[in-house]
Amino acid sequence: MEAEPSSPTVGVIGLGDIGSGVATGLARAGVDLVVCDIRPESTAPFADTARVASDPAELGRLVDVVVVAVVTDEQVLAVLDGAGGALSGARPGSTVVIVSTVSPSTVTRVADLAGARGVSVADCGVSGGPSSAAEGALIAMVGGDDEVIERIRPVLDAFSSLVVRMGPLGAGLQAKLARNLVQYASWLAAYEAQVLAEAAGIELAKLAQVIKASDARIGGPSTLMFRRTVAPFSSDDDAGLVQAMRTAAALAHKDLRAAMELADSLGVDLPLAAMTDARADALFGIAPDVTVAAGAGAGAGAGAGAGEGSAR
């Protein structure tokens, strides 16, 4: 009988809201844990459950998996690269997991640096916020080779309630950026709705109450995310579904235009409502996105008339 592989030693660099939750989940799962943060007050809570590394380089020498949970692209590179970075002492065969929300180019740069030392990289966008992190219930969107993800899966499971491989390296954080777009755009829609409501004399607390109750019934921004593509429906699609989407689009135009009429009467601008009205047919899959088409046309025109445009 083959002996089961030993559990990896895991290091977490950066013990902010997300990193401390990740480290807590790993400690709760009984993982051999090493932590590192420039703030002593952040490492203090782990004095009894983890070893505290003096710097990222020491952590890199001690662990099999390095989880990077700092904030910015610059910080990610700083804690990994150079003489004081975790990669300086990392063993070949170890793995770096980036949970920081950073640009795709930073993921590529880390992969190049790590690959030169025989170290694997996976990117892991996480969602759920500090409360989910503290409960070990983050949603993990992972990018990387199947073999790498399978190897670190117990680590991911220790701080996540859902782990989904989104694709190759980079896909995890690309999915996180798309997920964040949903969140921030939803908040903007809520803000614009409050601008309209406040101008109309409606109590915003009451508006929030009914929106939260309504969302619980009809769903939030992901309600229409049930298709495999954002391209318009074709003749091969279910005719009943297409008709339902046409009806929904017509209602959306009616309601949005009523809101904009109210806004005009109150002297309020609703730029997001106007943009949504212009793109509603694309939203419901019954026509191409006019904004995308216009952008493509403008790009073609610029390319034909300006030699410098394509180099930017």
Side-chain angles (χ1 to χ4, degrees), residues 139-309:
I139 311 303
M141 297 159 270
V142 191
D145 293 342
D146 283 330
E147 183 273 330
V148 173
I149 295 173
E150 184 63 27
R151 188 169 69 240
I152 63 171
R153 183 61 188 258
V155 176
L156 303 175
D157 287 338
F159 60 80
S160 308
S161 60
L162 175 66
V163 177
V164 179
R165 181 179 184 266
M166 307 305 295
L169 184 68
L173 288 172
Q174 290 166 9
K176 172 64 186 299
L177 294 175
R179 192 269 172 274
N180 281 1
L181 177 59
V182 172
Q183 189 65 67
Y184 294 130
S186 298
W187 285 342
L188 177 58
Y191 166 78
E192 193 163 287
Q194 290 178 98
V195 169
L196 178 63
E198 188 170 46
I202 295 168
E203 291 184 34
L204 298 188
K206 291 181 178 179
L207 179 66
Q209 180 183 10
V210 298
I211 288 176
K212 289 175 183 176
S214 178
D215 281 352
R217 295 287 184 178
I218 64 174
S222 63
T223 300
L224 292 179
M225 297 178 70
F226 60 88
R227 302 177 59 210
R228 298 178 68 89
T229 177
V230 295
F233 287 105
S234 72
S235 58
D236 294 330
D237 289 302
D238 180 82
L241 174 61
V242 175
Q243 184 55 48
M245 292 296 101
R246 291 186 184 280
T247 300
L251 289 172
H253 286 302
K254 174 185 71 69
D255 292 348
L256 288 163
R257 289 167 188 175
M260 289 187 287
E261 181 180 341
L262 173 61
D264 287 341
S265 72
L266 297 170
V268 172
D269 290 328
L270 298 183
L272 185 60
M275 184 178 69
T276 305
D277 182 45
R279 302 177 70 182
D281 288 349
L283 173 65
F284 289 96
I286 63 170
D289 191 336
V290 293
T291 303
V292 172
E308 294 180 2

Side-chain angles (χ1 to χ4, degrees), residues 9-15 19 23 26 32-38 43 50-70 79-80 83-91 94-97:
T9 299
V10 182
V12 179
I13 303 176
L15 298 172
L26 291 165
D32 184 22
L33 181 64
V34 183
V35 297
C36 180
D37 195 290
I38 59 174
T43 59
R51 287 173 284 173
V52 177
S54 59
D55 58 23
E58 180 187 9
L59 181 142
R61 290 191 293 271
L62 295 172
V63 305
D64 304 298
V65 179
V66 178
V67 179
V68 180
V70 294
V79 301
L80 290 173
L87 288 174
S88 66
R91 298 185 293 269
S94 57
T95 305
V96 170
V97 181

